[in-house]
PDB file of all heavy atoms in Angstrom:
ATOM      1  N   LEU A 387     -32.358   1.802 -54.865  1.00  0.00           N
ATOM      2  CA  LEU A 387     -31.024   2.190 -54.381  1.00  0.00           C
ATOM      3  C   LEU A 387     -30.710   1.519 -53.051  1.00  0.00           C
ATOM      4  O   LEU A 387     -29.611   0.968 -52.857  1.00  0.00           O
ATOM      5  CB  LEU A 387     -30.938   3.710 -54.246  1.00  0.00           C
ATOM      6  CG  LEU A 387     -29.625   4.256 -53.666  1.00  0.00           C
ATOM      7  CD1 LEU A 387     -28.434   3.848 -54.518  1.00  0.00           C
ATOM      8  CD2 LEU A 387     -29.690   5.774 -53.526  1.00  0.00           C
ATOM      9  N   THR A 388     -31.649   1.552 -52.120  1.00  0.00           N
ATOM     10  CA  THR A 388     -31.379   0.920 -50.824  1.00  0.00           C
ATOM     11  C   THR A 388     -31.263  -0.593 -50.955  1.00  0.00           C
ATOM     12  O   THR A 388     -30.509  -1.229 -50.211  1.00  0.00           O
ATOM     13  CB  THR A 388     -32.467   1.283 -49.802  1.00  0.00           C
ATOM     14  OG1 THR A 388     -33.770   0.935 -50.304  1.00  0.00           O
ATOM     15  CG2 THR A 388     -32.433   2.770 -49.476  1.00  0.00           C
ATOM     16  N   ALA A 389     -31.964  -1.179 -51.938  1.00  0.00           N
ATOM     17  CA  ALA A 389     -31.858  -2.622 -52.145  1.00  0.00           C
ATOM     18  C   ALA A 389     -30.470  -3.011 -52.646  1.00  0.00           C
ATOM     19  O   ALA A 389     -29.883  -3.994 -52.174  1.00  0.00           O
ATOM     20  CB  ALA A 389     -32.928  -3.091 -53.133  1.00  0.00           C
ATOM     21  N   VAL A 390     -29.920  -2.243 -53.597  1.00  0.00           N
ATOM     22  CA  VAL A 390     -28.589  -2.606 -54.082  1.00  0.00           C
ATOM     23  C   VAL A 390     -27.533  -2.333 -53.010  1.00  0.00           C
ATOM     24  O   VAL A 390     -26.510  -3.036 -52.940  1.00  0.00           O
ATOM     25  CB  VAL A 390     -28.228  -1.891 -55.399  1.00  0.00           C
ATOM     26  CG1 VAL A 390     -29.207  -2.248 -56.492  1.00  0.00           C
ATOM     27  CG2 VAL A 390     -28.149  -0.384 -55.226  1.00  0.00           C
ATOM     28  N   GLN A 391     -27.765  -1.343 -52.179  1.00  0.00           N
ATOM     29  CA  GLN A 391     -26.839  -1.119 -51.073  1.00  0.00           C
ATOM     30  C   GLN A 391     -26.893  -2.285 -50.080  1.00  0.00           C
ATOM     31  O   GLN A 391     -25.856  -2.791 -49.629  1.00  0.00           O
ATOM     32  CB  GLN A 391     -27.178   0.198 -50.368  1.00  0.00           C
ATOM     33  CG  GLN A 391     -26.882   1.429 -51.205  1.00  0.00           C
ATOM     34  CD  GLN A 391     -27.425   2.708 -50.589  1.00  0.00           C
ATOM     35  OE1 GLN A 391     -28.346   2.665 -49.763  1.00  0.00           O
ATOM     36  NE2 GLN A 391     -26.876   3.847 -50.988  1.00  0.00           N
ATOM     37  N   ARG A 392     -28.101  -2.721 -49.784  1.00  0.00           N
ATOM     38  CA  ARG A 392     -28.268  -3.793 -48.794  1.00  0.00           C
ATOM     39  C   ARG A 392     -27.757  -5.139 -49.316  1.00  0.00           C
ATOM     40  O   ARG A 392     -27.076  -5.879 -48.591  1.00  0.00           O
ATOM     41  CB  ARG A 392     -29.749  -3.910 -48.415  1.00  0.00           C
ATOM     42  CG  ARG A 392     -30.038  -4.977 -47.368  1.00  0.00           C
ATOM     43  CD  ARG A 392     -31.524  -5.012 -47.029  1.00  0.00           C
ATOM     44  NE  ARG A 392     -31.829  -6.032 -46.045  1.00  0.00           N
ATOM     45  CZ  ARG A 392     -31.767  -5.841 -44.721  1.00  0.00           C
ATOM     46  NH1 ARG A 392     -31.421  -4.661 -44.238  1.00  0.00           N
ATOM     47  NH2 ARG A 392     -32.062  -6.819 -43.884  1.00  0.00           N
ATOM     48  N   PHE A 393     -28.069  -5.448 -50.565  1.00  0.00           N
ATOM     49  CA  PHE A 393     -27.764  -6.781 -51.091  1.00  0.00           C
ATOM     50  C   PHE A 393     -26.531  -6.823 -51.992  1.00  0.00           C
ATOM     51  O   PHE A 393     -26.136  -7.898 -52.434  1.00  0.00           O
ATOM     52  CB  PHE A 393     -28.974  -7.324 -51.854  1.00  0.00           C
ATOM     53  CG  PHE A 393     -30.218  -7.434 -51.014  1.00  0.00           C
ATOM     54  CD1 PHE A 393     -31.328  -6.654 -51.288  1.00  0.00           C
ATOM     55  CD2 PHE A 393     -30.272  -8.301 -49.934  1.00  0.00           C
ATOM     56  CE1 PHE A 393     -32.478  -6.744 -50.519  1.00  0.00           C
ATOM     57  CE2 PHE A 393     -31.406  -8.398 -49.148  1.00  0.00           C
ATOM     58  CZ  PHE A 393     -32.518  -7.614 -49.438  1.00  0.00           C
ATOM     59  N   GLY A 394     -25.924  -5.658 -52.268  1.00  0.00           N
ATOM     60  CA  GLY A 394     -24.701  -5.641 -53.047  1.00  0.00           C
ATOM     61  C   GLY A 394     -24.943  -5.664 -54.543  1.00  0.00           C
ATOM     62  O   GLY A 394     -24.582  -6.629 -55.219  1.00  0.00           O
ATOM     63  N   GLY A 395     -25.522  -4.594 -55.078  1.00  0.00           N
ATOM     64  CA  GLY A 395     -25.824  -4.536 -56.507  1.00  0.00           C
ATOM     65  C   GLY A 395     -25.323  -3.263 -57.152  1.00  0.00           C
ATOM     66  O   GLY A 395     -24.490  -2.535 -56.599  1.00  0.00           O
ATOM     67  N   ILE A 396     -25.840  -2.981 -58.353  1.00  0.00           N
ATOM     68  CA  ILE A 396     -25.414  -1.830 -59.154  1.00  0.00           C
ATOM     69  C   ILE A 396     -26.650  -1.000 -59.479  1.00  0.00           C
ATOM     70  O   ILE A 396     -27.653  -1.543 -59.947  1.00  0.00           O
ATOM     71  CB  ILE A 396     -24.716  -2.308 -60.441  1.00  0.00           C
ATOM     72  CG1 ILE A 396     -23.479  -3.145 -60.084  1.00  0.00           C
ATOM     73  CG2 ILE A 396     -24.319  -1.123 -61.324  1.00  0.00           C
ATOM     74  CD1 ILE A 396     -22.909  -3.927 -61.252  1.00  0.00           C
TER      75      ILE A 396
END
Side-chain angles (χ1 to χ4, degrees):
L387 176 59
T388 55
V390 300
Q391 291 171 339
R392 181 179 179 87
F393 301 115
I396 300 166

